[in-house]
Amino acid sequence: MYKSDKTFFIGRPNIGNRDDFYRRLDSIFERRWLTNEGECVLELEKELSRYLGVKHCVAMCNGTVALELAIRANGMSGNVLVPSMTFIATAHALKWQEITPVFVDIKPSSLNICPDSVQRLIDENTTGIVGVHLYGRPCDIDTLSDIAERNNLKLIFDAAHAFGASYKGEKIGRYGNCEVFSFHATKVFNTFEGGAVTTNDDELAKKLRLMKNFGFEGEDTVSHIGINGKMAEVNAAMGLTNLEQLEDFIEINRVNYHAYRGGLRNVPGISLIHYDEDEANNYQYIIICIDQAQSGYSRDDLKEYLAAHGIIARRYFYPGCHKMEPYNSLDPHAGIRLPATEAYSKMMLALPTGTQICSQEIESLCDLIKSFKSRQ
Ligand SMILES: *Cc1c(COP(=O)(O)O)cnc(C)c1O
């Protein structure tokens, strides 16, 4: 019998030491400097570049604006290849700039963008590829980089899930032309709202800095079209505070992940995604795949059952961007070339983790899932 009377959510924020945050907030008020290249933002950019091992980190107001500026600063236009199995912001960041997102299928083994499908979909209007490190597990970066180079395409990564993760021993953040992070409240590292573009390219970083600040080069000199993409000091203060405890948050996630692994072992039809333990992972996404032929129930049945017990699981990502508007109307048959996306988007379910839940609660949650099985 499941006993917890707590409600568990996906993406409940991790919150660092409050006193440290309040202290930083006080110093912001003391300085009377709330935004525009403030001390906290500059310090956060420095700390993040160091943590990620990348030359430039340009902090922004959120991940979506960071994506839009990354796409624009790289000069993408026409058609850009992007997986449909992602959060809708990845597709919108392209379409918002009149670029056509051409949806690419995922590889069942990794659930990330399939390089073979990318290769097949390149045409004379293609200018770039946006890869997504889904659930924080890196794309096949080497193969995608080769394809981009051979076809003279820009390559950027939506790394919103992958803060702290590594690829072949090096932190995500340095790959492609640039990478884009989100520091939204639900991510492993948050600044309430926030984001960043990271790159080793000096010219690109300079352009991004101009673009996020209306194109201002000097006091009254504007040298580029720009918008307001700046991160405010209060957000950076939250970031500096949370960064100090990031490794603790990741360790909690790692312990939780292994509790789920133990609890869901040998449950027919349920498999937990694998993280490569030889790499750094943030373990922020506890994703199970429900194979109805073996489990006897669908992903949606399980989601509903868990919700009735106060466990708010989420379908990451359903039904795929190609089934959402405006993309569905623009290309109603896209699903035909996206069989893996269509299949997996009906099977994947995200379960609660982070500082809100402990190993005992996870054990009990897994027992609940097992009891659902035996009820069928
Ligand atoms: C969260 C997220 C975004 C958007 O970031 P915001 O900071 O919320 O604007 C983009 N892509 C993916 C894959 C995300 O998970």
Side-chain angles (χ1 to χ4, degrees):
M1 192 53 200
Y2 182 73
K3 289 189 297 292
S4 180
D5 50 9
K6 280 208 247 170
T7 305
F8 297 109
F9 296 92
I10 300 301
R12 261 261 145 125
N14 294 324
I15 298 171
N17 185 291
R18 292 184 198 189
D19 290 330
D20 290 341
F21 175 69
Y22 297 143
R23 194 172 38 71
R24 288 191 168 98
L25 204 52
D26 267 337
S27 75
I28 290 170
F29 291 138
E30 288 299 319
R31 287 195 294 276
R32 285 199 172 226
W33 196 286
L34 306 184
T35 186
N36 289 48
E37 303 285 285
E39 243 176 61
C40 288
V41 165
L42 293 178
E43 190 185 342
L44 181 66
E45 287 181 336
K46 208 175 81 203
E47 290 297 324
L48 292 178
S49 310
R50 189 180 14 216
Y51 177 76
L52 298 170
V54 66
K55 209 162 160 193
H56 303 282
C57 170
V58 185
M60 300 206 190
C61 54
N62 61 56
T64 304
V65 164
L67 265 174
E68 286 172 6
L69 290 190
I71 288 160
R72 187 180 275 261
N74 274 294
M76 288 181 178
S77 62
N79 292 353
V80 169
L81 303 171
V82 62
S84 174
M85 183 79 155
T86 180
F87 183 55
I88 193 68
T90 324
H92 281 349
L94 291 161
K95 190 65 186 163
W96 193 256
Q97 311 186 71
E98 315 272 309
I99 296 167
T100 303
V102 175
F103 295 114
V104 184
D105 210 4
I106 48 171
K107 242 168 89 166
S109 57
S110 67
L111 304 176
N112 275 324
I113 187 168
C114 171
D116 292 339
S117 311
V118 166
Q119 186 70 64
R120 272 198 303 277
L121 287 168
I122 294 172
D123 67 16
E124 66 281 4
N125 294 319
T126 310
T127 62
I129 305 164
V130 179
V132 179
H133 305 309
L134 193 71
Y135 313 138
R137 302 187 303 175
C139 296
D140 184 348
I141 296 175
D142 285 346
T143 309
L144 291 170
S145 302
D146 275 356
I147 295 174
E149 199 173 335
R150 272 189 283 110
N151 294 277
N152 197 23
L153 302 176
K154 297 290 184 179
L155 173 64
I156 72 178
F157 292 104
D158 178 339
H161 293 181
F163 188 78
S166 70
Y167 176 74
K168 299 190 175 173
E170 309 268 20
K171 284 260 164 68
I172 291 296
R174 73 191 62 197
Y175 295 106
N177 293 98
C178 63
E179 301 206 64
V180 180
F181 292 97
S182 164
F183 308 141
H184 182 253
T186 54
K187 310 306 203 240
V188 66
F189 167 73
N190 88 83
T191 60
F192 295 107
E193 290 267 5
V197 183
T198 58
T199 182
N200 283 325
D201 180 333
D202 299 342
E203 280 303 303
L204 187 64
K206 189 171 167 227
K207 205 164 173 183
L208 287 161
R209 286 199 183 282
L210 288 173
M211 283 181 150
K212 71 151 186 178
N213 188 29
F214 314 100
F216 274 114
E217 185 118 43
E219 193 175 319
D220 301 306
T221 329
V222 169
S223 63
H224 207 286
I225 184 172
I227 58 167
N228 182 355
K230 300 188 301 294
M231 177 184 277
E233 283 290 273
V234 61
N235 300 106
M238 182 68 161
L240 288 167
T241 306
N242 287 339
L243 199 57
E244 285 168 353
Q245 267 165 280
L246 178 68
E247 295 311 319
D248 302 338
F249 298 149
I250 290 177
E251 178 57 18
I252 288 164
N253 278 351
R254 195 186 65 78
V255 169
N256 287 352
Y257 171 75
H258 286 285
Y260 274 110
R261 186 149 280 304
L264 295 174
R265 190 183 299 129
N266 304 326
V267 182
I270 304 265
S271 49
L272 178 63
I273 60 161
H274 175 78
Y275 287 107
D276 181 351
E277 304 278 345
D278 291 333
E279 298 286 353
N281 297 289
N282 62 38
Y283 302 96
Q284 176 74 354
Y285 299 89
I286 302 292
I287 308 284
I288 57 172
C289 181
I290 296 106
D291 178 354
Q292 184 163 8
Q294 288 177 53
S295 63
Y297 53 81
S298 72
R299 181 268 312 270
D300 291 352
D301 293 338
L302 180 62
K303 179 180 188 283
E304 209 175 292
Y305 179 70
L306 292 174
H309 290 82
I311 299 151
I312 313 304
R314 297 287 303 274
R315 297 179 285 204
Y316 281 175
F317 286 99
Y318 177 79
C321 296
H322 68 288
K323 289 279 189 67
M324 295 178 170
E325 292 302 336
Y327 314 107
N328 187 47
S329 296
L330 291 169
D331 187 3
H333 306 298
I336 293 166
R337 63 165 201 274
L338 304 168
T341 302
E342 296 245 316
Y344 283 95
S345 65
K346 294 185 183 76
M347 296 162 80
M348 310 310 285
L349 192 64
L351 299 176
T353 187
T355 47
Q356 65 173 327
I357 194 166
C358 67
S359 295
Q360 285 78 25
E361 289 165 330
I362 289 169
E363 206 173 295
S364 160
L365 196 162
C366 292
D367 287 342
L368 183 68
I369 293 176
K370 284 182 210 156
S371 74
F372 186 51
K373 157 88 185 90
S374 58
R375 218 184 46 152
Q376 299 300 299

